[in-house]
């Protein structure tokens, strides 16, 4: 039933990558919503917050399935890589976990608690953790890509618990992640606010600012990669084909900007998703068979094939449940967005 | 709804736990996993009995928890049709699940007796390997003196319960090297709490259900309603005690007979810091969650409001 040449570690590595992309496109926008909850301002402040809560409400918890999938796949398919990551990046991972927990809890507390000013303060916790958590996610991915992780001959990580992530490049990637999530959220929110042209314009403007911010932080991250993640930098700028890829990404970013400017919101959303996917693809290419760049390859970190084969079957069976459930969820809540 | 959610979580958590506690399908050489028979590991034989036990426990705990909340409200407002109806749903569910607990527990215990004799001995505070072993109720095990003091002994019952044979031999902790024993007092006392609280749940819910079916006499018995309200957390206490039994009872192994917990822990120093942080975080969340639920329960409509709406 399986092709003998099927490269299972690469299959699982790709699946983890795809789950990360879907997480950015769905869960990422939820974090971005929290960012705009924090930045809500002007005469329509409360309406902005209500729109965000309405948009996130029915799906925010389901979106975290993708992060859970990333963690579980990493754990079952690359136990050695999982152990290395969890050890060396213990501090940012624990902080991120606290951020995810606090964010979800605060969102629910604000929605279901009594409507008193004291209870509304949970909104601040929700907004603050929505800002901190994406930065930490970016820092973690940055550390993985930087090539700063060290693994000894027994494939055990060698670490002082901070030098992998306390560096310029991971943090530029953190801020890039934050602006990407904010950008996605603002673009999606323009389609959630069809009934209210003032709100729509608020988020149109925010989307354009966030897109510019994303471009700038991406440029900063690329500059920092020159010394901070040489492997990534070579992939991004080393060959003519890479420059072509950069050109296409920049073109899509500008087209998304133009679509927002001309109020072609559906087009803008499609372009934002393409733009995110292109940036993600560049990162995937740069990972190039490494789980920890220059330290641990997918091959070396993988579980034995006798485990990966049945795990792939289980995953396929699981997706028979997961994918239709998600399609249904999004059809119910997102295809025809309405707000009372 | 809550019960089914709890059930799902329990199922997943159990499967992971079972696999590491009953490592079918794994062979180790030094620290390398040399062979994995994945399906065998996932369908580990301990899964069925333990999952069954935990799923029913979720229904018992939630049934009695919900019944307790509505009993509390009925104590203030005995005529309220909303709380009466809710109690009529939750109480029979909680009672039926509570009655099923000792049965499923017996299956689980027989499995433990056959496959994890050390855990069984720790649960029972049983030190001497013997035929016709007595069951100990209560008591405090002393690891220094290798005896359990102050327990009520019921002759032969442990052999009967573990192996369905009054003269079956039950391995005692003295035959297990000290370094391979779990903390006996913790496991034994947690097990006594779990079983004791379980029978208390059957008693309280049985009494309340009896009064409910006898001409709805329950609603005019404020003391029984109060007892039911105080019993709301019992199921959760029993579940926590049960998890303590199974998790502490499998120490010092993280993968039984293959890898010790101490060998598996992260080299990250100062683990007390995240440990304290998470304990603090979840305490805060629990308190806030309780406050919100309290707010919603108190805000539910009174019988006067309900009749005004009609």
């Amino acid at each position: 039933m399986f092709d003998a040449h099927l490269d299972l570690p690469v299959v699982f590595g790709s699946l983890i990558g795809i789950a990360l992309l879907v997480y950015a496109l769905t869960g990422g926008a939820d974090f971005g919503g929290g960012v705009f909850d924090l930045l809500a301002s002007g005469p329509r402040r409360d309406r902005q917050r209500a729109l965000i809560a309405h948009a996130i409400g029915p799906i925010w918890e389901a979106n975290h399935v993708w992060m859970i999938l990333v963690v579980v796949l990493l754990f079952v398919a690359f136990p050695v890589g999982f152990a290395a990551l969890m050890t060396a990046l213990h501090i940012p991972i624990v902080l991120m976990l606290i951020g995810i927990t606090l964010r979800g809890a605060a969102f629910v507390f604000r929605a279901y608690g009594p409507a008193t000013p004291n209870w509304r303060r949970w909104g601040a916790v929700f907004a603050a953790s929505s800002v901190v958590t994406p930065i930490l996610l970016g820092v973690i991915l940055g550390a993985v890509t930087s090539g700063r992780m060290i693994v000894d001959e027994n494939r055990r990580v060698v670490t002082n618990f901070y030098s992998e992530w306390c560096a310029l490049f991971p943090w530029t990637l953190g801020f890039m992640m934050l602006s990407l999530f904010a950008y996605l959220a603002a673009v999606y929110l323009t389609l959630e606010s069809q009934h209210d042209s003032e709100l729509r314009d608020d988020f149109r403007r925010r989307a354009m600012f966030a897109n510019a911010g994303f471009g700038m932080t991406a440029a900063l991250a690329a500059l920092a990669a020159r010394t901070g993640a040489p492997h990534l930098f070579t992939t991004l700028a080393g060959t003519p084909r890479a420059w072509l890829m950069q050109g296409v990404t920049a073109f899509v970013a500008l087209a998304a900007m133009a679509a927002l400017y001309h109020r072609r919101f559906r087009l803008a959303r499609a372009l934002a998703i393409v733009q995110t996917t292109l940036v993600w693809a560049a990162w995937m290419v740069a990972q190039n068979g490494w789980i920890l760049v220059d330290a641990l390859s997918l091959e070396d970190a993988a579980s034995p094939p006798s485990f990966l084969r049945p795990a792939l079957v289980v995953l396929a069976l699981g997706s028979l449940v997961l994918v239709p459930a998600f399609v249904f969820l999004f059809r119910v809540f997102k295809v025809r967005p309405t707000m009372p | 709804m809550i019960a089914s959610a709890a059930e799902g979580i329990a199922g997943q958590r159990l499967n992971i736990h079972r696999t590491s506690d009953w490592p079918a399908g794994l062979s180790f050489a030094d620290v390398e996993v040399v062979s994995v028979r994945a399906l065998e590991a996932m369908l580990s034989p301990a899964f069925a009995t333990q999952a069954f036990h935990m799923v029913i426990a979720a229904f018992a705990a939630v049934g009695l928890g919900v019944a307790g909340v509505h009993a509390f409200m009925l104590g203030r407002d005995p005529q309220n049709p909303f709380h009466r109806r809710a109690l009529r749903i939750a109480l029979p569910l909680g009672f039926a699940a509570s009655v099923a607990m000792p049965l499923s527990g017996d299956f689980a215990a027989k499995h433990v007796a056959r496959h994890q004799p050390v855990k069984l001995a720790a649960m029972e505070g049983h030190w001497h390997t013997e035929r016709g072993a007595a069951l100990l109720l209560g008591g405090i095990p002393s690891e220094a003196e290798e005896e359990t003091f102050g327990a009520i002994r019921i002759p032969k019952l442990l052999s009967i319960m573990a192996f369905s044979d009054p003269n079956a031999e039950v391995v005692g902790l003295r035959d297990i090297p000290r370094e391979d024993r779990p903390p006996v007092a913790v496991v034994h006392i947690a097990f006594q709490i779990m079983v004791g609280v379980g029978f208390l749940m059957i008693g309280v819910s049985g009494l309340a259900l009896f009064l409910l079916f006898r001409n709805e006499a329950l609603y005019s018995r404020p003391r029984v309603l109060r007892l039911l309200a105080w019993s709301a957390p019992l199921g959760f206490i029993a579940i926590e005690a049960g998890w303590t039994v199974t998790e502490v009872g499998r120490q010092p192994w993280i993968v039984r007979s293959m890898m010790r917990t101490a060998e598996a822990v992260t080299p990250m120093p100062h683990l007390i810091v995240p440990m304290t942080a998470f304990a603090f975080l979840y305490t805060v969340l629990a308190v806030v969650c309780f406050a919100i639920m309290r707010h919603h329960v108190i805000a539910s409509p009174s019988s006067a409001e309900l009749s005004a709406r009609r």
Side-chain angles (χ1 to χ4, degrees):
Chain A
M1 125 180 231
F2 285 101
D3 183 352
H5 299 291
L6 189 61
D7 192 339
L8 284 166
V10 171
V11 169
F12 274 91
S14 310
L15 287 173
I16 290 174
I18 291 166
L20 266 176
L21 174 66
V22 179
Y23 184 62
L25 290 173
T26 57
D30 289 354
F31 286 112
V35 174
F36 290 115
D37 184 286
L38 186 71
L39 297 178
S41 59
R44 290 177 292 282
R45 195 175 73 172
D46 290 339
R47 268 154 69 198
Q48 290 170 3
R49 287 196 170 138
L51 175 73
I52 292 164
H54 174 77
I56 296 176
I59 53 162
W60 65 277
E61 209 165 6
N63 288 337
H64 285 285
V65 164
W66 301 106
M67 186 38 110
I68 295 168
L69 189 62
V70 168
V71 174
V72 171
L73 285 179
L74 202 58
F75 180 66
V76 300
F78 304 104
V80 177
F82 181 85
L85 272 171
M86 292 293 147
T87 306
L89 302 178
H90 183 99
I91 295 167
I93 286 172
V94 164
L95 291 176
M96 185 181 153
L97 207 54
I98 291 174
I100 290 176
T101 309
L102 264 183
R103 194 189 110 84
F107 183 71
V108 172
F109 291 167
R110 185 180 65 168
Y112 294 100
T116 59
N118 264 341
W119 272 99
R120 305 299 294 175
R121 280 186 203 152
W122 282 107
V125 175
F126 163 69
S129 45
S130 296
V131 172
V132 173
T133 311
I135 295 178
L136 289 165
L137 177 62
V139 166
I140 291 162
L141 291 178
V144 168
T145 301
S146 67
R148 297 171 76 92
M149 303 271 284
I150 303 165
V151 172
D152 70 12
E153 64 274 18
N154 293 321
R155 300 182 298 167
R156 279 173 196 262
V157 71
V158 179
T159 179
N160 56 10
F161 305 104
Y162 65 86
S163 62
E164 293 86 353
W165 57 279
C166 290
L168 181 63
F169 172 72
W171 286 87
T172 57
L173 209 64
F175 283 95
M176 181 182 127
M177 198 64 79
L178 180 66
S179 46
L180 169 66
F181 288 178
Y183 170 48
L184 287 171
V187 172
Y188 295 170
L189 285 167
T190 61
L191 286 159
E192 299 269 352
S193 52
Q194 281 154 337
H195 57 284
D196 186 333
S197 60
E198 288 178 329
L199 266 188
R200 198 170 212 190
D201 240 33
D202 285 349
F203 285 108
R204 168 173 164 264
R205 216 165 346 130
R206 282 167 169 72
M208 290 168 75
F209 272 112
N211 193 1
F214 178 43
M216 278 190 290
T217 47
L220 274 179
L223 279 179
R226 200 186 174 101
T227 52
H231 193 88
L232 179 72
F233 188 77
T234 321
T235 317
L236 292 180
T239 62
R241 211 177 55 178
W243 280 106
L244 182 69
M245 186 93 166
Q246 303 309 311
V248 173
T249 309
F251 175 77
V252 173
L254 290 174
M257 208 64 144
L260 283 167
Y261 183 77
H262 292 291
R263 297 171 200 279
R264 302 281 305 276
F265 294 113
R266 279 181 187 282
L267 180 66
R269 179 173 63 181
L271 287 168
I273 290 172
V274 172
Q275 186 184 346
T276 309
T277 309
L278 285 168
V279 173
W280 166 83
W283 175 73
M284 283 292 276
V285 171
Q287 282 298 106
N288 190 26
W290 294 103
I291 191 159
L292 307 172
V293 168
D294 285 341
L296 195 63
S297 69
L298 292 173
E299 200 70 47
D300 285 343
S303 296
S306 63
F307 178 79
L308 289 182
R309 254 180 247 122
L312 198 59
V313 176
V314 169
L315 198 62
L317 292 176
S319 63
L320 288 181
V321 177
L322 180 65
V323 173
F326 254 86
V327 171
F328 185 62
L329 182 73
F330 275 78
R331 276 180 70 96
V332 168
F333 288 108
K334 293 292 161 195
V335 170
R336 260 176 292 139
T338 49
M339 183 155 163
Chain B
M1 209 170 71
I2 301 169
S4 58
E7 172 201 330
I9 294 164
Q12 289 159 12
R13 186 172 157 191
L14 255 166
N15 204 359
I16 294 166
H17 162 77
R18 278 300 105 201
T19 306
S20 54
D21 200 11
W22 173 249
L26 295 179
S27 315
F28 278 61
D30 292 333
V31 292
E32 288 287 280
V33 180
V34 292
S35 105
V36 183
R37 298 181 295 284
L39 287 178
E40 212 176 310
M42 280 187 245
L43 300 175
S44 152
F47 177 62
T49 58
Q50 294 275 313
F52 193 48
H53 195 53
M54 181 59 225
V55 167
I56 299 172
F59 280 98
V62 174
L64 234 68
V66 172
V69 169
H70 292 292
F72 173 75
M73 293 306 283
L74 282 169
R76 301 174 150 202
D77 184 4
Q79 299 303 324
N80 193 311
F82 167 65
H83 295 302
R84 282 185 173 206
R85 246 169 245 172
L87 188 69
R88 274 204 295 269
I89 298 171
L91 191 56
L93 176 76
F95 174 72
S98 299
V99 170
M101 282 311 284
L103 302 175
S104 74
D106 185 52
F107 283 125
K110 285 190 162 63
H111 189 279
V112 170
R114 226 167 309 124
H115 299 284
Q116 296 170 270
V118 186
K119 185 187 271 186
L120 182 83
M123 281 158 68
E124 303 291 355
H126 178 67
W127 294 94
H128 304 274
T129 301
E130 59 190 352
R131 296 188 166 279
L135 183 77
L136 305 188
L137 294 182
I140 308 219
S142 160
E143 289 184 38
E145 295 174 59
E146 305 193 303
E147 282 295 346
T148 299
F149 297 104
I152 303 165
R153 306 175 69 89
I154 305 176
K156 302 216 176 201
L157 192 56
L158 179 56
S159 289
I160 296 173
M161 289 180 72
F163 297 102
S164 314
D165 168 6
N167 292 314
E169 185 181 86
V170 181
V171 176
L173 288 162
R174 286 193 179 194
D175 284 357
I176 312 296
R178 272 178 188 270
E179 67 272 19
D180 291 347
R181 292 179 198 162
V184 181
V186 176
V187 179
H188 179 68
I189 292 168
F191 185 63
Q192 304 304 304
I193 291 173
M194 180 188 83
V195 173
V197 169
F199 279 105
L200 194 59
M201 288 167 71
I202 295 176
V204 171
S205 59
L207 171 68
L209 199 64
F210 173 72
L211 291 172
L212 182 70
F213 285 148
R214 218 185 55 179
N215 304 325
E216 306 203 321
L218 175 62
Y219 303 133
S220 50
R221 298 284 188 92
R223 265 194 290 185
V224 181
L225 286 174
R226 216 173 307 144
L227 179 68
L228 204 51
W230 278 105
S231 304
L234 286 185
F236 301 96
I237 293 170
I239 287 176
E240 285 308 318
W243 277 106
T244 306
V245 170
T246 197
E247 291 296 337
V248 178
R250 70 167 161 148
Q251 301 304 325
W253 305 105
I254 191 160
V255 184
R256 192 156 54 91
S257 305
M258 290 182 184
M259 185 187 246
R260 282 171 190 272
T261 308
E263 295 166 333
V265 75
T266 172
M268 175 83 199
H270 311 301
L271 283 176
I272 188 73
V273 176
M275 167 97 180
T276 315
F278 277 110
F280 177 72
L281 175 67
Y282 277 85
T283 307
V284 170
L285 295 185
V287 169
V288 176
C289 205
F290 183 78
I292 287 185
M293 290 206 271
R294 190 173 165 277
H295 168 75
H296 281 280
V297 169
I298 302 290
S300 65
S302 69
S303 53
E305 284 171 306
L306 281 172
S307 52
R309 270 185 217 177
R310 275 186 197 146

